[in-house]
mmCIF file of all heavy atoms in Angstrom:
data_model
loop_
_atom_site.group_PDB
_atom_site.id
_atom_site.type_symbol
_atom_site.label_atom_id
_atom_site.label_comp_id
_atom_site.label_asym_id
_atom_site.label_seq_id
_atom_site.Cartn_x
_atom_site.Cartn_y
_atom_site.Cartn_z
ATOM 1 N N GLY A 252 0.863 -1.215 0.001
ATOM 2 C CA GLY A 252 0.001 -0.028 -0.012
ATOM 3 C C GLY A 252 0.830 1.259 -0.011
ATOM 4 O O GLY A 252 0.308 2.355 0.134
ATOM 5 N N GLY A 253 2.130 1.081 -0.148
ATOM 6 C CA GLY A 253 3.013 2.289 -0.120
ATOM 7 C C GLY A 253 2.944 3.084 -1.386
ATOM 8 O O GLY A 253 2.789 2.509 -2.523
ATOM 9 N N SER A 254 3.128 4.378 -1.312
ATOM 10 C CA SER A 254 3.101 5.273 -2.506
ATOM 11 C C SER A 254 3.789 6.537 -2.105
ATOM 12 O O SER A 254 4.165 6.801 -0.925
ATOM 13 C CB SER A 254 1.694 5.526 -2.908
ATOM 14 O OG SER A 254 1.011 6.409 -2.008
ATOM 15 N N LEU A 255 3.884 7.432 -3.090
ATOM 16 C CA LEU A 255 4.460 8.777 -2.846
ATOM 17 C C LEU A 255 3.515 9.607 -1.989
ATOM 18 O O LEU A 255 3.959 10.642 -1.512
ATOM 19 C CB LEU A 255 4.790 9.456 -4.163
ATOM 20 C CG LEU A 255 5.813 8.816 -5.079
ATOM 21 C CD1 LEU A 255 5.972 9.615 -6.364
ATOM 22 C CD2 LEU A 255 7.139 8.709 -4.317
ATOM 23 N N ASN A 256 2.326 9.125 -1.761
ATOM 24 C CA ASN A 256 1.356 9.850 -0.936
ATOM 25 C C ASN A 256 1.529 9.473 0.552
ATOM 26 O O ASN A 256 0.959 10.238 1.422
ATOM 27 C CB ASN A 256 -0.053 9.537 -1.383
ATOM 28 C CG ASN A 256 -0.361 10.044 -2.748
ATOM 29 O OD1 ASN A 256 0.063 11.136 -3.109
ATOM 30 N ND2 ASN A 256 -1.104 9.319 -3.528
ATOM 31 N N ASN A 257 2.212 8.400 0.820
ATOM 32 C CA ASN A 257 2.304 8.001 2.288
ATOM 33 C C ASN A 257 3.731 7.645 2.731
ATOM 34 O O ASN A 257 3.918 7.008 3.759
ATOM 35 C CB ASN A 257 1.348 6.916 2.593
ATOM 36 C CG ASN A 257 1.503 5.664 1.712
ATOM 37 O OD1 ASN A 257 2.566 5.322 1.271
ATOM 38 N ND2 ASN A 257 0.369 5.015 1.439
ATOM 39 N N ALA A 258 4.713 8.007 1.905
ATOM 40 C CA ALA A 258 6.122 7.718 2.278
ATOM 41 C C ALA A 258 6.999 8.668 1.514
ATOM 42 O O ALA A 258 6.737 9.042 0.402
ATOM 43 C CB ALA A 258 6.441 6.264 1.961
ATOM 44 N N LEU A 259 8.133 8.925 2.163
ATOM 45 C CA LEU A 259 9.240 9.702 1.505
ATOM 46 C C LEU A 259 10.138 8.608 0.857
ATOM 47 O O LEU A 259 10.659 7.790 1.534
ATOM 48 C CB LEU A 259 10.015 10.507 2.522
ATOM 49 C CG LEU A 259 11.189 11.329 2.004
ATOM 50 C CD1 LEU A 259 10.740 12.421 1.076
ATOM 51 C CD2 LEU A 259 11.986 11.906 3.173
ATOM 52 N N VAL A 260 10.236 8.654 -0.488
ATOM 53 C CA VAL A 260 10.938 7.663 -1.223
ATOM 54 C C VAL A 260 12.279 8.158 -1.679
ATOM 55 O O VAL A 260 12.374 9.314 -2.269
ATOM 56 C CB VAL A 260 10.147 7.180 -2.405
ATOM 57 C CG1 VAL A 260 10.899 6.024 -3.122
ATOM 58 C CG2 VAL A 260 8.760 6.653 -1.930
ATOM 59 N N ILE A 261 13.352 7.412 -1.401
ATOM 60 C CA ILE A 261 14.721 7.793 -1.666
ATOM 61 C C ILE A 261 15.286 7.022 -2.872
ATOM 62 O O ILE A 261 15.294 5.803 -2.844
ATOM 63 C CB ILE A 261 15.631 7.557 -0.422
ATOM 64 C CG1 ILE A 261 15.057 8.280 0.771
ATOM 65 C CG2 ILE A 261 17.080 8.000 -0.711
ATOM 66 C CD1 ILE A 261 15.615 7.842 2.098
ATOM 67 N N SER A 262 15.664 7.728 -3.906
ATOM 68 C CA SER A 262 16.310 7.085 -5.103
ATOM 69 C C SER A 262 17.782 7.094 -4.925
ATOM 70 O O SER A 262 18.350 7.406 -3.808
ATOM 71 C CB SER A 262 15.837 7.757 -6.395
ATOM 72 O OG SER A 262 16.402 9.027 -6.490
ATOM 73 N N ASP A 263 18.507 6.772 -5.964
ATOM 74 C CA ASP A 263 19.975 6.737 -5.869
ATOM 75 C C ASP A 263 20.608 8.078 -5.572
ATOM 76 O O ASP A 263 21.610 8.200 -4.868
ATOM 77 C CB ASP A 263 20.584 6.191 -7.193
ATOM 78 C CG ASP A 263 20.292 4.753 -7.367
ATOM 79 O OD1 ASP A 263 20.025 4.027 -6.406
ATOM 80 O OD2 ASP A 263 20.350 4.262 -8.527
ATOM 81 N N ASP A 264 20.018 9.164 -6.081
ATOM 82 C CA ASP A 264 20.619 10.487 -5.933
ATOM 83 C C ASP A 264 19.687 11.608 -5.556
ATOM 84 O O ASP A 264 20.001 12.788 -5.592
ATOM 85 C CB ASP A 264 21.394 10.855 -7.205
ATOM 86 C CG ASP A 264 20.492 10.832 -8.436
ATOM 87 O OD1 ASP A 264 19.192 10.697 -8.252
ATOM 88 O OD2 ASP A 264 20.979 10.946 -9.579
ATOM 89 N N SER A 265 18.432 11.231 -5.206
ATOM 90 C CA SER A 265 17.481 12.350 -4.857
ATOM 91 C C SER A 265 16.262 11.705 -4.115
ATOM 92 O O SER A 265 16.107 10.491 -4.038
ATOM 93 C CB SER A 265 17.012 13.071 -6.082
ATOM 94 O OG SER A 265 16.275 12.196 -6.947
ATOM 95 N N TYR A 266 15.395 12.556 -3.631
ATOM 96 C CA TYR A 266 14.088 12.143 -3.172
ATOM 97 C C TYR A 266 13.113 12.125 -4.292
ATOM 98 O O TYR A 266 13.165 13.065 -5.206
ATOM 99 C CB TYR A 266 13.558 13.091 -2.059
ATOM 100 C CG TYR A 266 14.391 13.030 -0.761
ATOM 101 C CD1 TYR A 266 15.184 14.141 -0.466
ATOM 102 C CD2 TYR A 266 14.337 11.944 0.073
ATOM 103 C CE1 TYR A 266 15.903 14.144 0.704
ATOM 104 C CE2 TYR A 266 15.098 11.970 1.233
ATOM 105 C CZ TYR A 266 15.844 13.046 1.599
ATOM 106 O OH TYR A 266 16.599 13.066 2.743
ATOM 107 N N LEU A 267 12.203 11.130 -4.387
ATOM 108 C CA LEU A 267 11.219 11.121 -5.468
ATOM 109 C C LEU A 267 10.067 12.058 -5.187
ATOM 110 O O LEU A 267 9.338 12.385 -6.076
ATOM 111 C CB LEU A 267 10.725 9.725 -5.654
ATOM 112 C CG LEU A 267 11.749 8.681 -6.182
ATOM 113 C CD1 LEU A 267 11.041 7.400 -6.499
ATOM 114 C CD2 LEU A 267 12.546 9.174 -7.385
ATOM 115 N N ASN A 268 9.900 12.451 -3.913
ATOM 116 C CA ASN A 268 8.916 13.440 -3.579
ATOM 117 C C ASN A 268 9.512 14.460 -2.632
ATOM 118 O O ASN A 268 10.610 14.223 -2.039
ATOM 119 C CB ASN A 268 7.627 12.781 -2.997
ATOM 120 C CG ASN A 268 7.920 11.704 -1.951
ATOM 121 O OD1 ASN A 268 9.058 11.256 -1.806
ATOM 122 N ND2 ASN A 268 6.904 11.274 -1.238
ATOM 123 N N GLN A 269 8.844 15.538 -2.411
ATOM 124 C CA GLN A 269 9.411 16.671 -1.666
ATOM 125 C C GLN A 269 9.407 16.339 -0.176
ATOM 126 O O GLN A 269 8.366 16.067 0.441
ATOM 127 C CB GLN A 269 8.621 17.936 -1.881
ATOM 128 C CG GLN A 269 9.158 19.178 -1.226
ATOM 129 C CD GLN A 269 10.492 19.614 -1.812
ATOM 130 O OE1 GLN A 269 10.764 19.411 -2.998
ATOM 131 N NE2 GLN A 269 11.371 20.122 -0.969
ATOM 132 N N PRO A 270 10.618 16.404 0.460
ATOM 133 C CA PRO A 270 10.655 16.242 1.904
ATOM 134 C C PRO A 270 10.057 17.395 2.650
ATOM 135 O O PRO A 270 10.056 18.529 2.173
ATOM 136 C CB PRO A 270 12.135 16.080 2.183
ATOM 137 C CG PRO A 270 12.885 16.719 1.049
ATOM 138 C CD PRO A 270 11.957 16.568 -0.140
ATOM 139 N N ARG A 271 9.446 17.151 3.786
ATOM 140 C CA ARG A 271 8.903 18.160 4.627
ATOM 141 C C ARG A 271 9.992 18.926 5.455
ATOM 142 O O ARG A 271 9.783 20.014 5.856
ATOM 143 C CB ARG A 271 7.842 17.567 5.576
ATOM 144 C CG ARG A 271 6.624 17.063 4.811
ATOM 145 C CD ARG A 271 5.629 16.380 5.755
ATOM 146 N NE ARG A 271 4.459 16.026 5.027
ATOM 147 C CZ ARG A 271 3.482 15.295 5.555
ATOM 148 N NH1 ARG A 271 3.554 14.869 6.811
ATOM 149 N NH2 ARG A 271 2.388 14.936 4.829
ATOM 150 N N PHE A 272 11.048 18.200 5.718
ATOM 151 C CA PHE A 272 12.219 18.720 6.495
ATOM 152 C C PHE A 272 13.474 18.264 5.756
ATOM 153 O O PHE A 272 13.450 17.223 5.114
ATOM 154 C CB PHE A 272 12.229 18.221 7.943
ATOM 155 C CG PHE A 272 10.979 18.417 8.707
ATOM 156 C CD1 PHE A 272 10.068 17.418 8.793
ATOM 157 C CD2 PHE A 272 10.708 19.651 9.350
ATOM 158 C CE1 PHE A 272 8.857 17.571 9.564
ATOM 159 C CE2 PHE A 272 9.520 19.790 10.111
ATOM 160 C CZ PHE A 272 8.587 18.796 10.195
ATOM 161 N N VAL A 273 14.523 19.052 5.882
ATOM 162 C CA VAL A 273 15.789 18.592 5.230
ATOM 163 C C VAL A 273 16.316 17.305 5.887
ATOM 164 O O VAL A 273 17.032 16.506 5.262
ATOM 165 C CB VAL A 273 16.882 19.721 5.308
ATOM 166 C CG1 VAL A 273 16.440 20.915 4.470
ATOM 167 C CG2 VAL A 273 17.177 20.101 6.754
ATOM 168 N N ASP A 274 15.957 17.081 7.137
ATOM 169 C CA ASP A 274 16.302 15.877 7.873
ATOM 170 C C ASP A 274 15.109 15.046 8.263
ATOM 171 O O ASP A 274 15.017 14.527 9.341
ATOM 172 C CB ASP A 274 17.155 16.257 9.076
ATOM 173 C CG ASP A 274 16.421 17.225 10.017
ATOM 174 O OD1 ASP A 274 15.329 17.679 9.667
ATOM 175 O OD2 ASP A 274 16.921 17.435 11.130
ATOM 176 N N GLU A 275 14.163 14.907 7.348
ATOM 177 C CA GLU A 275 12.882 14.262 7.658
ATOM 178 C C GLU A 275 13.143 12.752 8.090
ATOM 179 O O GLU A 275 12.420 12.275 8.926
ATOM 180 C CB GLU A 275 11.933 14.290 6.492
ATOM 181 C CG GLU A 275 10.581 13.689 6.761
ATOM 182 C CD GLU A 275 9.503 14.002 5.721
ATOM 183 O OE1 GLU A 275 9.887 14.574 4.655
ATOM 184 O OE2 GLU A 275 8.374 13.622 5.936
ATOM 185 N N CYS A 276 14.139 12.087 7.480
ATOM 186 C CA CYS A 276 14.355 10.701 7.822
ATOM 187 C C CYS A 276 14.668 10.533 9.303
ATOM 188 O O CYS A 276 14.027 9.684 9.968
ATOM 189 C CB CYS A 276 15.483 10.200 6.987
ATOM 190 S SG CYS A 276 15.119 10.103 5.191
ATOM 191 N N VAL A 277 15.618 11.273 9.829
ATOM 192 C CA VAL A 277 15.968 11.127 11.275
ATOM 193 C C VAL A 277 14.812 11.583 12.187
ATOM 194 O O VAL A 277 14.570 10.958 13.230
ATOM 195 C CB VAL A 277 17.256 11.858 11.578
ATOM 196 C CG1 VAL A 277 17.061 13.382 11.619
ATOM 197 C CG2 VAL A 277 17.808 11.374 12.915
ATOM 198 N N ARG A 278 14.047 12.540 11.751
ATOM 199 C CA ARG A 278 12.901 12.990 12.525
ATOM 200 C C ARG A 278 11.865 11.834 12.625
ATOM 201 O O ARG A 278 11.246 11.648 13.647
ATOM 202 C CB ARG A 278 12.280 14.215 11.961
ATOM 203 C CG ARG A 278 13.119 15.467 12.133
ATOM 204 C CD ARG A 278 12.469 16.686 11.380
ATOM 205 N NE ARG A 278 13.433 17.798 11.341
ATOM 206 C CZ ARG A 278 13.130 18.998 11.870
ATOM 207 N NH1 ARG A 278 12.003 19.218 12.542
ATOM 208 N NH2 ARG A 278 14.051 19.974 11.760
ATOM 209 N N HIS A 279 11.674 11.161 11.476
ATOM 210 C CA HIS A 279 10.712 10.027 11.538
ATOM 211 C C HIS A 279 11.217 8.890 12.439
ATOM 212 O O HIS A 279 10.463 8.263 13.109
ATOM 213 C CB HIS A 279 10.434 9.486 10.162
ATOM 214 C CG HIS A 279 9.343 8.428 10.217
ATOM 215 N ND1 HIS A 279 7.994 8.770 10.313
ATOM 216 C CD2 HIS A 279 9.436 7.058 10.274
ATOM 217 C CE1 HIS A 279 7.322 7.655 10.382
ATOM 218 N NE2 HIS A 279 8.135 6.574 10.309
ATOM 219 N N LYS A 280 12.538 8.715 12.467
ATOM 220 C CA LYS A 280 13.109 7.726 13.366
ATOM 221 C C LYS A 280 12.805 8.045 14.812
ATOM 222 O O LYS A 280 12.576 7.178 15.665
ATOM 223 C CB LYS A 280 14.597 7.533 13.130
ATOM 224 C CG LYS A 280 14.956 7.010 11.766
ATOM 225 C CD LYS A 280 14.470 5.570 11.543
ATOM 226 C CE LYS A 280 15.392 4.588 12.219
ATOM 227 N NZ LYS A 280 15.017 3.184 11.869
ATOM 228 N N VAL A 281 12.823 9.348 15.116
ATOM 229 C CA VAL A 281 12.437 9.781 16.482
ATOM 230 C C VAL A 281 11.005 9.473 16.779
ATOM 231 O O VAL A 281 10.677 8.971 17.874
ATOM 232 C CB VAL A 281 12.706 11.321 16.713
ATOM 233 C CG1 VAL A 281 12.220 11.814 18.049
ATOM 234 C CG2 VAL A 281 14.214 11.624 16.601
ATOM 235 N N LEU A 282 10.123 9.699 15.808
ATOM 236 C CA LEU A 282 8.722 9.420 15.942
ATOM 237 C C LEU A 282 8.525 7.886 16.146
ATOM 238 O O LEU A 282 7.772 7.492 17.074
ATOM 239 C CB LEU A 282 7.975 9.807 14.704
ATOM 240 C CG LEU A 282 6.470 9.465 14.651
ATOM 241 C CD1 LEU A 282 5.748 10.230 15.761
ATOM 242 C CD2 LEU A 282 5.850 9.769 13.328
ATOM 243 N N ASP A 283 9.187 7.059 15.381
ATOM 244 C CA ASP A 283 9.075 5.646 15.600
ATOM 245 C C ASP A 283 9.569 5.191 16.954
ATOM 246 O O ASP A 283 8.962 4.326 17.614
ATOM 247 C CB ASP A 283 9.912 4.867 14.538
ATOM 248 C CG ASP A 283 9.139 4.699 13.204
ATOM 249 O OD1 ASP A 283 7.862 4.914 13.231
ATOM 250 O OD2 ASP A 283 9.764 4.292 12.229
ATOM 251 N N PHE A 284 10.650 5.807 17.414
ATOM 252 C CA PHE A 284 11.237 5.497 18.729
ATOM 253 C C PHE A 284 10.188 5.832 19.821
ATOM 254 O O PHE A 284 9.958 4.970 20.743
ATOM 255 C CB PHE A 284 12.489 6.272 18.972
ATOM 256 C CG PHE A 284 13.117 6.030 20.286
ATOM 257 C CD1 PHE A 284 13.839 4.868 20.554
ATOM 258 C CD2 PHE A 284 13.029 6.978 21.321
ATOM 259 C CE1 PHE A 284 14.409 4.655 21.814
ATOM 260 C CE2 PHE A 284 13.577 6.784 22.573
ATOM 261 C CZ PHE A 284 14.291 5.572 22.821
ATOM 262 N N LEU A 285 9.512 6.950 19.729
ATOM 263 C CA LEU A 285 8.511 7.348 20.742
ATOM 264 C C LEU A 285 7.336 6.324 20.683
ATOM 265 O O LEU A 285 6.856 5.965 21.730
ATOM 266 C CB LEU A 285 7.999 8.752 20.426
ATOM 267 C CG LEU A 285 8.962 9.921 20.627
ATOM 268 C CD1 LEU A 285 8.311 11.238 20.259
ATOM 269 C CD2 LEU A 285 9.473 9.950 22.074
ATOM 270 N N GLY A 286 6.943 5.930 19.465
ATOM 271 C CA GLY A 286 5.893 4.903 19.364
ATOM 272 C C GLY A 286 6.293 3.598 20.021
ATOM 273 O O GLY A 286 5.494 2.934 20.682
ATOM 274 N N ASP A 287 7.505 3.212 19.806
ATOM 275 C CA ASP A 287 7.989 1.917 20.300
ATOM 276 C C ASP A 287 8.135 1.924 21.840
ATOM 277 O O ASP A 287 7.815 0.941 22.508
ATOM 278 C CB ASP A 287 9.299 1.562 19.667
ATOM 279 C CG ASP A 287 9.192 1.304 18.159
ATOM 280 O OD1 ASP A 287 8.031 1.135 17.692
ATOM 281 O OD2 ASP A 287 10.181 1.305 17.429
ATOM 282 N N ILE A 288 8.648 3.010 22.380
ATOM 283 C CA ILE A 288 8.811 3.036 23.861
ATOM 284 C C ILE A 288 7.457 3.305 24.500
ATOM 285 O O ILE A 288 7.346 3.101 25.787
ATOM 286 C CB ILE A 288 9.850 4.023 24.365
ATOM 287 C CG1 ILE A 288 9.442 5.489 24.070
ATOM 288 C CG2 ILE A 288 11.222 3.713 23.757
ATOM 289 C CD1 ILE A 288 10.335 6.518 24.724
ATOM 290 N N ALA A 289 6.455 3.723 23.771
ATOM 291 C CA ALA A 289 5.090 3.864 24.376
ATOM 292 C C ALA A 289 4.540 2.543 24.936
ATOM 293 O O ALA A 289 3.647 2.497 25.790
ATOM 294 C CB ALA A 289 4.144 4.501 23.346
ATOM 295 N N PHE A 290 5.032 1.454 24.373
ATOM 296 C CA PHE A 290 4.591 0.130 24.776
ATOM 297 C C PHE A 290 5.089 -0.197 26.215
ATOM 298 O O PHE A 290 4.613 -1.182 26.828
ATOM 299 C CB PHE A 290 5.053 -0.961 23.797
ATOM 300 C CG PHE A 290 4.453 -0.891 22.465
ATOM 301 C CD1 PHE A 290 5.084 -0.352 21.395
ATOM 302 C CD2 PHE A 290 3.164 -1.402 22.303
ATOM 303 C CE1 PHE A 290 4.490 -0.255 20.157
ATOM 304 C CE2 PHE A 290 2.552 -1.301 21.044
ATOM 305 C CZ PHE A 290 3.179 -0.709 19.970
ATOM 306 N N ILE A 291 5.936 0.590 26.776
ATOM 307 C CA ILE A 291 6.369 0.446 28.144
ATOM 308 C C ILE A 291 5.190 0.696 29.046
ATOM 309 O O ILE A 291 5.068 0.022 30.116
ATOM 310 C CB ILE A 291 7.518 1.391 28.474
ATOM 311 C CG1 ILE A 291 8.797 0.995 27.716
ATOM 312 C CG2 ILE A 291 7.802 1.483 29.977
ATOM 313 C CD1 ILE A 291 9.936 2.016 27.817
ATOM 314 N N GLY A 292 4.295 1.574 28.682
ATOM 315 C CA GLY A 292 3.045 1.800 29.417
ATOM 316 C C GLY A 292 3.166 2.861 30.473
ATOM 317 O O GLY A 292 2.145 3.161 31.145
ATOM 318 N N ARG A 293 4.310 3.467 30.643
ATOM 319 C CA ARG A 293 4.516 4.574 31.561
ATOM 320 C C ARG A 293 5.436 5.641 30.917
ATOM 321 O O ARG A 293 6.333 5.261 30.162
ATOM 322 C CB ARG A 293 5.115 4.048 32.903
ATOM 323 C CG ARG A 293 4.188 3.207 33.700
ATOM 324 C CD ARG A 293 4.993 2.435 34.791
ATOM 325 N NE ARG A 293 5.585 3.293 35.737
ATOM 326 C CZ ARG A 293 6.472 2.827 36.716
ATOM 327 N NH1 ARG A 293 6.733 1.525 36.753
ATOM 328 N NH2 ARG A 293 6.994 3.620 37.533
ATOM 329 N N PRO A 294 5.243 6.880 31.280
ATOM 330 C CA PRO A 294 6.133 7.899 30.755
ATOM 331 C C PRO A 294 7.568 7.648 31.183
ATOM 332 O O PRO A 294 7.794 7.209 32.293
ATOM 333 C CB PRO A 294 5.622 9.180 31.351
ATOM 334 C CG PRO A 294 4.191 8.925 31.781
ATOM 335 C CD PRO A 294 4.198 7.469 32.161
ATOM 336 N N LEU A 295 8.510 7.929 30.293
ATOM 337 C CA LEU A 295 9.896 7.624 30.573
ATOM 338 C C LEU A 295 10.665 8.951 30.539
ATOM 339 O O LEU A 295 10.687 9.639 29.449
ATOM 340 C CB LEU A 295 10.446 6.686 29.508
ATOM 341 C CG LEU A 295 11.778 6.025 29.752
ATOM 342 C CD1 LEU A 295 11.824 5.276 31.113
ATOM 343 C CD2 LEU A 295 12.131 5.045 28.633
ATOM 344 N N VAL A 296 11.218 9.389 31.654
ATOM 345 C CA VAL A 296 11.988 10.649 31.744
ATOM 346 C C VAL A 296 13.463 10.310 31.644
ATOM 347 O O VAL A 296 14.031 9.732 32.580
ATOM 348 C CB VAL A 296 11.651 11.386 33.017
ATOM 349 C CG1 VAL A 296 12.382 12.721 33.029
ATOM 350 C CG2 VAL A 296 10.102 11.596 33.139
ATOM 351 N N ALA A 297 14.095 10.739 30.539
ATOM 352 C CA ALA A 297 15.524 10.407 30.350
ATOM 353 C C ALA A 297 16.043 11.259 29.209
ATOM 354 O O ALA A 297 15.232 11.875 28.428
ATOM 355 C CB ALA A 297 15.733 8.952 30.005
ATOM 356 N N TYR A 298 17.334 11.288 29.088
ATOM 357 C CA TYR A 298 17.983 11.812 27.875
ATOM 358 C C TYR A 298 18.387 10.610 27.055
ATOM 359 O O TYR A 298 19.222 9.816 27.429
ATOM 360 C CB TYR A 298 19.231 12.662 28.225
ATOM 361 C CG TYR A 298 20.066 13.069 27.072
ATOM 362 C CD1 TYR A 298 19.495 13.357 25.822
ATOM 363 C CD2 TYR A 298 21.463 13.259 27.251
ATOM 364 C CE1 TYR A 298 20.284 13.776 24.762
ATOM 365 C CE2 TYR A 298 22.253 13.700 26.158
ATOM 366 C CZ TYR A 298 21.641 13.905 24.926
ATOM 367 O OH TYR A 298 22.431 14.317 23.850
#
């Protein structure tokens, strides 16, 4: 179900669609990390 409407796609030398941030990839990794640690079930205060 993936498409240029629901993913940032990376080719050999460019993005196939316009990124929302110059570092959108690492920002999304932060989002995934927050989603994954949410399964702990309690807020986690740390650096």
Side-chain angles (χ1 to χ4, degrees):
S254 72
L255 296 178
N256 295 322
N257 55 35
L259 179 65
V260 182
I261 303 164
S262 69
D263 291 338
D264 55 9
S265 66
Y266 295 108
L267 295 187
N268 45 349
Q269 184 66 34
R271 292 176 176 174
F272 307 95
V273 294
D274 56 353
E275 185 169 4
C276 296
V277 71
R278 291 175 189 240
H279 185 78
K280 296 295 281 187
V281 173
L282 177 65
D283 276 349
F284 179 76
L285 292 178
D287 294 345
I288 67 171
F290 292 100
I291 292 171
R293 291 164 62 188
L295 192 56
V296 183
Y298 172 32

